[in-house]
Amino acid sequence: LMWIRLREAPYLWYGLSELLWTLLTLRTLVDQDLIPWPWMPLLLYRMPLMLSVPLMYKAMLPLLDSDTPVLTRILNGMLAAAPLMATVAVFEWAPVVVQVFMLVLLSFVLLLAWISVRNAWSGRRPVQVLIASVFVLLVLCGVRDGYVFILSIDAYVSSSWLRFAWIVLGLSFVWIAVERVRKSDLALVELNASLSQQLGRRSVELSAAFDRERYAEKERGATEERQRLMRDLHDGLGSLMSGISAQ
């Protein structure tokens, strides 16, 4: 809805990412036999997972002032490859390729965390500190999940912390969006006040200029009238002198 009203790309990427993440979460509420294989794991697991993450990255890059052409092209390539990677993962055609793709997705979390921490350290603005804190939280939760689900024997009885960290990321994005709208409203109010002051000064200047022009016009009229009288007087005096000379 924010993208429809404002036409700003980060809202579109974030909205699509959250919709896909919601679809990914719904798989826990759907009967496994409701959708036949391979559509169930493809549409409710692999596809939303591999599309939602790069979409979230695309939404966060402008907020970090890091939407460079190189990173944008990489994320666009990942989005284009995500459906193919999801299909390959479901049919288990090339597990190594899928693992490399997932590692690239995870490496972006580290990259964005480093960029956000660097921006927060140099700028120390509340938004920068919030984004840095969220990405550090994502990295820590990812490290914890990686340890539990790969190395720990408690993998089957543990829950992923990244699910809850994703909620924190969503709430932080909402806060950032509200702050951007608030700042836009404040900027609009300040702009209106500045325009009102400028219009007031311009009105005074125009009134003064009009008064000066009116005074100058009166002066020009008086000067022209004096010149006309002098011409008439000169012409009359000339005629009188000619008559006297003739007499």
Side-chain angles (χ1 to χ4, degrees):
L1 181 61
M2 293 286 286
W3 174 75
I4 292 173
R5 297 299 299 271
L6 301 178
R7 295 296 179 180
E8 294 186 17
Y11 295 122
L12 175 62
W13 308 136
Y14 174 76
L16 293 176
S17 178
E18 282 291 359
L19 289 175
L20 289 170
W21 192 263
T22 303
L23 188 64
L24 177 66
T25 307
L26 286 177
R27 81 183 194 277
T28 59
L29 305 177
V30 177
D31 188 2
Q32 296 294 326
D33 298 330
L34 182 63
I35 303 176
W37 190 91
W39 301 110
M40 178 71 182
L42 180 63
L43 298 180
L44 293 182
Y45 179 57
R46 292 294 183 178
M47 193 79 74
L49 176 63
M50 294 187 179
L51 284 174
S52 62
V53 177
L55 283 172
M56 179 59 73
Y57 294 159
K58 284 180 66 68
M60 299 303 293
L61 277 180
L63 301 181
L64 297 172
D65 296 326
S66 302
D67 48 341
T68 61
V70 175
L71 293 179
T72 301
R73 284 196 296 268
I74 293 175
L75 289 178
N76 290 337
M78 294 170 65
L79 283 173
L84 177 61
M85 291 294 101
T87 304
V88 171
V90 170
F91 288 97
E92 299 180 355
W93 288 334
V96 177
V97 175
V98 176
Q99 291 176 0
V100 170
F101 184 79
M102 297 302 294
L103 286 176
V104 173
L105 288 179
L106 293 176
S107 66
F108 255 88
V109 175
L110 298 175
L111 175 62
L112 295 181
W114 179 78
I115 294 174
S116 62
V117 171
R118 183 193 62 185
N119 293 344
W121 183 261
S122 60
R124 290 182 173 85
R125 291 184 299 172
V127 173
Q128 295 174 335
V129 174
L130 174 64
I131 296 177
S133 302
V134 171
F135 273 109
V136 170
L137 177 63
L138 286 176
V139 172
L140 294 177
C141 290
V143 171
R144 179 265 175 191
D145 288 350
Y147 169 76
V148 170
F149 292 103
I150 296 176
L151 302 177
S152 176
I153 61 174
D154 299 328
Y156 291 100
V157 295
S158 298
S159 298
S160 172
W161 285 11
L162 276 175
R163 296 181 182 180
F164 307 102
W166 191 277
I167 297 175
V168 176
L169 179 61
L171 293 176
S172 64
F173 192 91
V174 171
W175 184 79
I176 292 170
V178 172
E179 282 295 304
R180 294 184 68 182
V181 172
R182 185 184 67 86
K183 290 181 179 179
S184 298
D185 289 341
L186 290 177
L188 183 60
V189 171
E190 294 176 357
L191 178 60
N192 288 334
S194 176
L195 288 176
S196 298
Q197 294 177 357
Q198 293 178 11
L199 288 175
R201 289 194 298 267
R202 186 60 176 169
S203 178
V204 173
E205 292 173 357
L206 289 175
S207 179
F210 179 74
D211 291 339
R212 290 193 298 269
E213 182 66 25
R214 184 171 55 185
Y215 178 78
E217 185 67 25
K218 291 172 63 176
E219 287 291 323
R220 284 194 296 269
T223 301
E224 292 174 356
E225 183 64 19
R226 285 195 296 268
Q227 292 175 352
R228 185 184 64 80
L229 290 174
M230 291 178 65
R231 285 195 302 268
D232 293 344
L233 181 60
H234 181 272
D235 293 342
L237 182 61
S239 301
L240 179 60
M241 293 300 292
S242 298
I244 292 174
S245 299
Q247 291 178 1

